[in-house]
């Protein structure tokens, strides 16, 4: 296990369009392994073959219901399950939580709400495994210690600022993938890029000065023209 975004997610819903939307939301958020199923039978087959680390589960399915399915899945492996349902009656929520669901999200939901609640459940459920994976970031000979917010390179350590820390963490959580300017601005300022793009460029330049041997020709923190930035994987040359 490398980090929360490497965990495997299975979304089960009989609406193909909604499954596609969930996959898109999670993929854009940085999750690398997302699969979908449209029925209890498909979910059980995917559960066995894909071996997900968490399941997003609709209550109403064409060949059964999520309440029965969660019990069947939990007999095989005890993993986090979040219900996604248009049924918001208190009785349904209590039944789902009573069966051991880790959360109950009512449709329609905001994309960011889904990501935040899923991530919270994953971090809580896999805290021990994720702690060691999330404790540091290595970029060649440069090491970022998340606990202290320091960057060690060439035998000397420098401190990240609060904004640099947030931006680098967002890039690291999506390592190898493009993170858009909008996404970085939302992470650092909780706003879209309007009025922040030039400030973002300044922070990126300062981050490169701390991370790169040659900030003018970066190896790790790369610009993707017209889109955003990307933190290169270890095999970058």
């Amino acid at each position: 296990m490398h980090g929360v975004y490497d965990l495997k997610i299975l979304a089960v819903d009989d609406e193909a369009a909604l499954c596609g939307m969930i996959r898109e939301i999670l993929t854009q958020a940085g999750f690398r392994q997302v699969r979908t199923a449209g029925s209890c039978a498909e979910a059980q087959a995917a559960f066995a073959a894909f071996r997900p680390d968490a399941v997003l589960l609709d209550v109403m399915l064409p060949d059964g219901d999520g309440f029965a399915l969660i019990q069947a899945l939990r007999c095989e492996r005890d993993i986090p399950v979040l219900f996604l349902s248009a049924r918001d009656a208190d009785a349904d929520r209590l039944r789902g939580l009573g069966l051991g669901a880790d959360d109950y999200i009512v449709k329609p939901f905001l994309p960011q709400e889904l990501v935040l609640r899923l991530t919270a459940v994953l971090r809580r459920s896999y805290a021990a495994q994720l702690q060691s994976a999330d404790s540091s970031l290595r970029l060649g000979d440069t090491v970022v210690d998340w606990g202290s917010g320091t960057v060690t390179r060439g035998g000397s350590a420098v401190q990240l600022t609060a904004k640099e820390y947030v931006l680098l963490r967002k890039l690291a959580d999506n390592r190898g993938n493009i993170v858009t300017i909008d996404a970085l601005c939302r992470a650092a300022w909780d706003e879209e890029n309007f009025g922040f793009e030039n400030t973002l460029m300044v922070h990126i330049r300062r981050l490169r000065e701390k991370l790169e041997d040659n900030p003018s020709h970066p190896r790790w923190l790369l610009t993707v023209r017209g889109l955003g930035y990307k933190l290169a994987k270890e095999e970058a040359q």
Side-chain angles (χ1 to χ4, degrees):
M1 183 181 296
H2 303 291
V4 69
Y5 295 104
D6 292 297
L7 295 171
K8 296 187 286 187
I9 311 300
L10 174 63
V12 184
D13 197 292
D14 62 339
E15 295 183 44
L18 182 59
C19 279
M21 185 186 77
I22 291 171
R23 183 170 53 239
E24 182 71 14
I25 289 170
L26 297 183
T27 300
Q28 287 189 353
F31 286 93
R32 300 177 180 89
Q33 302 184 78
V34 182
R35 290 194 185 177
T36 62
S39 66
C40 292
E42 288 181 12
Q44 288 178 302
F47 193 82
F50 181 50
R51 294 190 63 80
D53 297 296
V55 178
L56 297 170
L57 181 57
D58 189 18
V59 170
M60 300 297 292
L61 295 166
D63 55 348
D65 65 64
F67 296 135
L69 183 56
I70 187 176
Q71 294 174 294
L73 297 181
R74 283 277 173 80
C75 286
E76 299 181 41
R77 281 192 301 128
D78 186 12
I79 65 169
V81 175
L82 295 82
F83 275 118
L84 300 176
S85 177
R87 293 166 56 166
D88 62 350
D90 289 342
D92 287 331
R93 277 194 293 242
L94 290 173
R95 184 180 179 191
L97 295 172
L99 288 170
D102 296 84
D103 205 344
Y104 192 108
I105 304 173
V106 178
K107 304 174 189 176
F109 48 81
L110 295 173
Q112 189 66 5
E113 177 190 10
L114 175 62
V115 172
L116 289 174
R117 291 172 72 167
L118 172 60
T119 303
V121 167
L122 293 174
R123 291 194 183 281
R124 189 166 62 242
S125 301
Y126 295 100
Q129 299 97 311
L130 292 171
Q131 185 174 4
S132 59
D134 285 346
S135 62
S136 64
L137 168 70
R138 181 171 293 277
L139 304 171
D141 295 329
T142 300
V143 177
V144 179
D145 184 271
W146 296 121
S148 62
T150 57
V151 179
T152 302
R153 181 169 57 87
S156 61
V158 294
Q159 191 74 35
L160 293 170
T161 67
K163 294 299 185 189
E164 289 168 355
Y165 185 100
V166 170
L167 293 169
L168 184 57
R169 190 77 201 215
K170 182 69 173 178
L171 289 160
D173 284 344
N174 295 277
R175 190 170 182 179
N177 297 316
I178 297 168
V179 183
T180 65
I181 292 170
D182 280 349
L184 289 168
C185 289
R186 283 196 300 271
W189 293 282
D190 197 28
E191 297 284 350
E192 302 294 337
N193 69 15
F194 181 75
F196 290 100
E197 188 168 353
N198 289 337
T199 305
L200 174 63
M201 292 172 63
V202 172
H203 285 295
I204 293 294
R205 185 177 71 245
R206 291 175 179 167
L207 265 176
R208 283 175 172 152
E209 291 171 355
K210 295 178 179 180
L211 300 173
E212 304 280 359
D213 292 328
N214 186 350
S216 298
H217 296 88
R219 175 186 178 188
W220 302 108
L221 210 175
L222 308 177
T223 299
V224 183
R225 191 171 300 277
L227 292 175
Y229 299 91
K230 177 173 71 172
L231 196 65
K233 291 187 176 181
E234 189 67 32
E235 60 266 25
Q237 299 296 324

